[in-house]
C-alpha cells in the first residue's frame, strides 16, 4: 500500500513494524458538544482506512481515546477548557457532559456506519500512565516544573518541528494576540504535561500526583494511551490536519523523549470539511450535525457517500446543493442494486470476482482513493456478467465502503423523514393559501431533489419516496 506520510511529506510504501498486524491510533472526540459533520468526515476517513487495511489482508489493532479532560479551546494551553465550557453552558457537571456527548458521538458514528475501534479509552481513566511518563520526562530533564505546573521543554526534543515543517520564528510572529503567553514557560511553545496551578479552579476532574492535585494536558493523553495499549512502536497515527500542530507535534516530542527511540512511522491526516464561509464551527453559523441533516430529510449514509466521493487529502466544501447531488446519486445507486437483488440469476464467476476485488484493492493501495473505489462499484454495475456475480462483488466492496448497499433501505422512510415531509407539505399549503406560488413551487422542487414526489388530491397532498 502507498500512503501519504505527513512526517516525510510524500507518498510512501507502507511497511508495518510487525508483518501482519497494523497498529493504528486515531485521536478521539473531545466530548463537550455534539460532533459536527466536519469532525465526522475525519472519522469516516479513519474508518475507511481501518477497513481498507483489513481488505488488503492486515489485522488492524486500533485504539482511540475519548478526550474528557485537559483540552483547551486554543489547542495549546491557553483559552478556556472545552469541557468546563460545556458544563457551564448546560449547567451540568463535567462528568455528565462527558457521558452525554460520548453517547451522542457513538450514536452519530453508528448512523454513519463508522465502526467502533477495538480499544476505546477515556482520557480521565489513564492517569497512572501519564504520571509514570511525566516522572520519567522530569527525571531525564525533558520536562520542568514552573509555578506548580509541569511543562515539556521543546528545546530538548529532537527536531521538534519535523512533522509540521513549521518555522519557529514565523510561529512566534504569527501567534495570535489573544493567546496569553504563560510567563512561567521557558519557551512560548513549551506545553503543559500536568497542571496544578491554573485559572480553572472549578475543574471537577482532578487527581493527586507527585506535583500536587491537578490534571493532565491534552497531548500527554494520546501518547500515554497509545503507548500503553498499542506498544512502543506505532504504525499509523491519524487525525485531522488541525492536529498536526501543536497536538501531534507535541505527541511525538514527548513520546520519543519517553521511549528513547522513534515512535510512529506513518502520520496520516484528513483534510477539513469547510462550509461556504470557511472553517466549520460548533459556535458560529449553522451547527451542522448528523441529526440536523436527518431532520432536513437526508439519509446519514448519503453524507458518508458524499465524503467518499472526494479524496481524504482534499478539502471538501459542504453545501446543501452538493449534498442533494450526492444524495440523489446514492439513491440511484441503491435502486440499481435493488434491481440486481430482485433479479438474481447465474453462477458466481470467480474470475470476475477476483478481478474486481483486485481492482478495488488497487484503489485502497493508491493512498486510500475512495473515489476510485466508487468507480469500481459503478464499473461492476455496468459489467456484462450475471447478477449473482455482481451481488457477490458489491457485498465484498461494502465491507469497506459501508454504505448499506445490500439493505433495502431505499423505500424505508425514517420517522425523521416523515416529519420533514409533513412539515414541508404544511408549509407549501400555507404558501398556496397566501397565493405565494413561487414559494410553493420551490418547496415542491426541494422535495423532488430528495426524490420525494408530491401529488395534490381532493383528500389533500400525498407523497411518494422514490
Ligand atoms: P475534536 O473533537 O475537536 O478533538 O476533533 C475531533 C476530530 O475532528 C479531530 O481529529 C480534528 O482534527 C477533526 N476536525 C476538526 N474540524 C474538522 C473539520 N472541519 N473537518 C474535518 N475534520 C475536522
Ligand atoms: Zn490525540
Amino acid at each position: 500500500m502507498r500512503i501519504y506520510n505527513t512526517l516525510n511529506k510524500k507518498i510512501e510504501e507502507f511497511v508495518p513494524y510487525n508483518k501482519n498486524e497494523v497498529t493504528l491510533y486515531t485521536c478521539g472526540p473531545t466530548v463537550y458538544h455534539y460532533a459536527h459533520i466536519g469532525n465526522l468526515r475525519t472519522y469516516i476517513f479513519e474508518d475507511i482506512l481501518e477497513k481498507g487495511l483489513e481488505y488488503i489482508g492486515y489485522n488492524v489493532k486500533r485504539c482511540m481515546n475519548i478526550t474528557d479532560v485537559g483540552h483547551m479551546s486554543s489547542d495549546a494551553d491557553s483559552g478556556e477548557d472545552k469541557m468546563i465550557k460545556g458544563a457551564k453552558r448546560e449547567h451540568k457537571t463535567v462528568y455528565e457532559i462527558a457521558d452525554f456527548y460520548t453517547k451522542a458521538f457513538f450514536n452519530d458514528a453508528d448512523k454513519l456506519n463508522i465502526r467502533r475501534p477495538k480499544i476505546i479509552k477515556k482520557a480521565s481513566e489513564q492517569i497512572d500512565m501519564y504520571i509514570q511518563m511525566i516522572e520519567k520526562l522530569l527525571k531525564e530533564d525533558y520536562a520542568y516544573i514552573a509555578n506548580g505546573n509541569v511543562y515539556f521543554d521543546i528545546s530538548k526534543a529532537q527536531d521538534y518541528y519535523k512533522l509540521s515543517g513549521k518555522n519557529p520564528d514565523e510561529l512566534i510572529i504569527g501567534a495570535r494576540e489573544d493567546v496569553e503567553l504563560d510567563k512561567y514557560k521557558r519557551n512560548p511553545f513549551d506545553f503543559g504535561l500536568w497542571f496544578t496551578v491554573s485559572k480553572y479552579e472549578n475543574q471537577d476532574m482532578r487527581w493527586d500526583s507527585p506535583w500536587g492535585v491537578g490534571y493532565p494536558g491534552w497531548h500527554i493523553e494520546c501518547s500515554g494511551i497509545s503507548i500503553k495499549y498499542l506498544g512502543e512502536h506505532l504504525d499509523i497515527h491519524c487525525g485531522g490536519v488541525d492536529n498536526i500542530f501543536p497536538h501531534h507535534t507535541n505527541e511525538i516530542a514527548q513520546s520519543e523523549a519517553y521511549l528513547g527511540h522513534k515512535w510512529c512511522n506513518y502520520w496520516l491526516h484528513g483534510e477539513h470539511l469547510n462550509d461556504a464561509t470557511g472553517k466549520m464551527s460548533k459556535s458560529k453559523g449553522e451547527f451542522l450535525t448528523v441529526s440536523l441533516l436527518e431532520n432536513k430529510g437526508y439519509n446519514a449514509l448519503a453524507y458518508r457517500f458524499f465524503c467518499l466521493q472526494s479524496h481524504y487529502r482534499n478539502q471538501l466544501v459542504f453545501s446543501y446543493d452538493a449534498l442533494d447531488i450526492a444524495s440523489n446519486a446514492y439513491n440511484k445507486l441503491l435502486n440499481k442494486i435493488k434491481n440486481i437483488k430482485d433479479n438474481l440469476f447465474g453462477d458466481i464467476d470467480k474470475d470476475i470476482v477476483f478481478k474486481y476485488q483486485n481492482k478495488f484493492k488497487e484503489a485502497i493501495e493508491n493512498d486510500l482513493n475512495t473515489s476510485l473505489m466508487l468507480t469500481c462499484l459503478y464499473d461492476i454495475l455496468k459489467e456484462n456478467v450475471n447478477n449473482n456475480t455482481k451481488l457477490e462483488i458489491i457485498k465484498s466492496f461494502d465491507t469497506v465502503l459501508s454504505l448499506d448497499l445490500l439493505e433495502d433501505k431505499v423505500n424505508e422512510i425514517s420517522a425523521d423523514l416523515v416529519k420533514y415531509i409533513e412539515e414541508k407539505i404544511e408549509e407549501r399549503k400555507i404558501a398556496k393559501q397566501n397565493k405565494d406560488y413561487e414559494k410553493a413551487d420551490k418547496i415542491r422542487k426541494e422535495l423532488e431533489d430528495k426524490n420525494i414526489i408530491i401529488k395534490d388530491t381532493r383528500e389533500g397532498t400525498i407523497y411518494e419516496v422514490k
Side-chain angles (χ1 to χ4, degrees):
M1 180 176 189
R2 295 178 63 72
I3 45 176
Y4 183 86
N5 187 355
T6 311
L7 190 60
N8 299 326
K9 299 178 190 43
K10 59 176 197 273
I11 294 194
E12 293 178 344
E13 190 63 36
F14 172 64
V15 185
Y17 195 79
N18 289 315
K19 207 158 160 259
N20 290 319
E21 186 177 75
V22 175
T23 49
L24 170 63
Y25 186 86
T26 54
C27 289
T30 306
V31 284
Y32 71 112
H33 215 322
Y34 292 106
H36 59 51
I37 57 171
N39 300 131
L40 290 159
R41 182 188 185 204
T42 293
Y43 297 104
I44 290 173
F45 141 60
E46 293 162 347
D47 183 61
I48 288 274
L49 173 67
E50 180 183 0
K51 292 170 179 168
L53 285 164
E54 287 175 351
Y55 198 87
I56 59 175
Y58 291 111
N59 281 322
V60 182
K61 192 171 173 194
R62 175 174 171 196
C63 175
M64 184 180 84
N65 67 303
I66 301 288
T67 303
D68 54 1
V69 63
H71 191 173
M72 306 301 157
S73 54
S74 77
D75 278 5
D77 298 334
S78 56
E80 204 177 353
D81 181 309
K82 291 192 178 190
M83 294 302 298
I84 296 177
K85 198 166 148 187
K88 274 194 205 150
R89 184 185 66 232
E90 298 183 21
H91 309 289
K92 289 186 182 146
T93 66
V94 169
Y95 286 95
E96 285 167 338
I97 289 290
D99 191 45
F100 180 85
Y101 288 110
T102 301
K103 288 194 183 114
F105 171 78
F106 284 117
N107 200 15
D108 286 344
D110 287 349
K111 286 178 182 166
L112 292 165
N113 283 347
I114 296 169
R115 190 206 286 161
R116 292 184 195 203
K118 287 185 195 113
I119 309 168
I120 298 171
K121 295 290 160 191
K122 284 188 194 175
S124 61
E125 291 178 355
Q126 306 298 326
I127 304 297
D128 289 352
M129 180 66 189
Y130 317 139
I131 291 181
Q132 181 194 318
M133 286 179 79
I134 298 167
E135 277 184 318
K136 186 165 177 202
L137 293 173
L138 274 167
K139 204 165 129 223
E140 298 190 358
D141 226 17
Y142 285 104
Y144 60 96
I145 299 173
N147 192 34
N149 299 324
V150 187
Y151 294 103
F152 187 92
D153 182 343
I154 65 158
S155 69
K156 303 274 169 66
Q158 254 188 10
D159 202 0
Y160 176 70
Y161 297 97
K162 65 186 167 203
L163 182 72
S164 66
K166 286 196 186 284
N167 172 340
D169 298 334
E170 277 170 23
L171 270 176
I172 291 176
I173 296 163
R176 292 197 340 250
E177 278 170 23
D178 57 334
V179 172
E180 284 169 48
L181 288 183
D182 183 337
K183 59 178 188 281
Y184 298 102
K185 289 183 186 179
R186 290 181 190 163
N187 177 313
F189 294 107
D190 287 354
F191 55 93
L193 296 165
W194 188 267
F195 296 102
T196 58
V197 176
S198 79
K199 47 189 188 249
Y200 316 113
E201 281 155 23
N202 55 350
Q203 167 68 299
D204 289 342
M205 289 193 179
R206 39 186 174 202
W207 297 266
D208 206 3
S209 82
W211 320 285
V213 175
Y215 59 97
W218 172 41
H219 316 296
I220 193 78
E221 299 171 0
C222 285
S223 290
I225 293 172
S226 175
I227 293 170
K228 182 166 168 189
Y229 292 96
L230 297 178
E232 291 194 3
H233 294 276
L234 178 63
D235 288 315
I236 306 177
H237 195 310
C238 293
V241 284
D242 56 304
N243 287 156
I244 297 173
F245 188 87
H247 184 48
H248 290 167
T249 297
N250 292 348
E251 281 191 47
I252 294 176
Q254 68 205 356
S255 299
E256 297 191 347
Y258 171 74
L259 295 169
H261 59 71
K262 189 174 180 190
W263 171 49
C264 174
N265 283 331
Y266 300 89
W267 288 84
L268 271 58
H269 292 99
E271 251 303 345
H272 274 184
L273 177 81
N274 295 326
D275 59 22
T277 60
K279 200 171 179 281
M280 193 147 289
S281 163
K282 298 189 187 190
S283 49
K284 285 181 228 109
E286 192 175 37
F287 183 2
L288 289 159
T289 59
V290 171
S291 309
L292 180 76
L293 297 187
E294 286 183 323
N295 291 339
K296 286 181 185 278
Y298 295 98
N299 178 342
L301 291 181
Y303 175 66
R304 184 175 172 108
F305 183 81
F306 170 71
C307 291
L308 298 190
Q309 285 177 318
S310 69
H311 193 262
Y312 74 92
R313 282 196 295 118
N314 290 337
Q315 286 188 2
L316 181 60
V317 177
F318 176 82
S319 71
Y320 286 107
D321 284 346
L323 186 60
D324 281 339
I325 294 169
S327 185
N328 275 333
Y330 176 60
N331 284 330
K332 276 193 192 136
L333 180 66
L334 293 184
N335 270 316
K336 280 190 186 144
I337 295 170
K338 186 169 185 308
N339 197 22
I340 292 173
K341 274 181 69 187
D342 291 345
N343 296 287
L344 285 178
F345 63 91
D347 292 333
I348 293 176
D349 183 331
K350 291 213 172 98
D351 289 343
I352 299 269
V353 173
F354 186 68
K355 180 180 128 191
Y356 270 89
Q357 285 180 334
N358 276 342
K359 264 179 76 174
F360 195 73
K361 280 183 189 167
E362 277 168 26
I364 294 169
E365 286 165 350
N366 183 356
D367 195 18
L368 208 68
N369 192 326
T370 48
S371 62
L372 259 183
M373 293 179 213
L374 290 176
T375 305
C376 291
L377 180 63
Y378 281 105
D379 284 350
I380 184 60
L381 297 179
K382 284 184 282 177
E383 177 77 62
N384 187 14
V385 68
N386 67 60
N387 280 351
N388 274 324
T389 306
K390 287 189 181 182
L391 201 68
E392 184 71 10
I393 294 167
I394 296 165
K395 205 195 293 173
S396 162
F397 290 176
D398 208 31
T399 58
V400 178
L401 300 173
S402 304
L403 290 166
D404 284 356
L405 297 176
L406 297 162
E407 283 174 37
D408 284 339
K409 290 213 172 145
V410 197
N411 296 321
E412 209 178 86
I413 312 175
S414 70
D416 279 339
L417 186 56
V418 171
K419 186 165 159 269
Y420 163 81
I421 298 171
E422 285 171 356
E423 278 168 9
K424 285 287 157 191
I425 288 177
E426 186 58 25
E427 215 181 296
R428 180 169 168 270
K429 192 170 129 195
I430 295 167
K432 279 171 74 179
Q433 280 165 359
N434 296 335
K435 301 206 171 9
D436 186 350
Y437 299 111
E438 201 182 317
K439 185 172 177 191
D441 283 349
K442 219 172 129 207
I443 294 171
R444 175 194 285 278
K445 172 81 182 47
E446 192 183 321
L447 290 167
E448 270 174 15
D449 285 344
K450 297 197 171 86
N451 285 340
I452 302 157
I453 309 301
I454 52 173
K455 208 165 136 194
D456 296 317
T457 70
R458 267 200 296 189
E459 288 74 36
T461 304
I462 55 168
Y463 63 86
E464 186 191 352
V465 181
K466 287 214 164 180

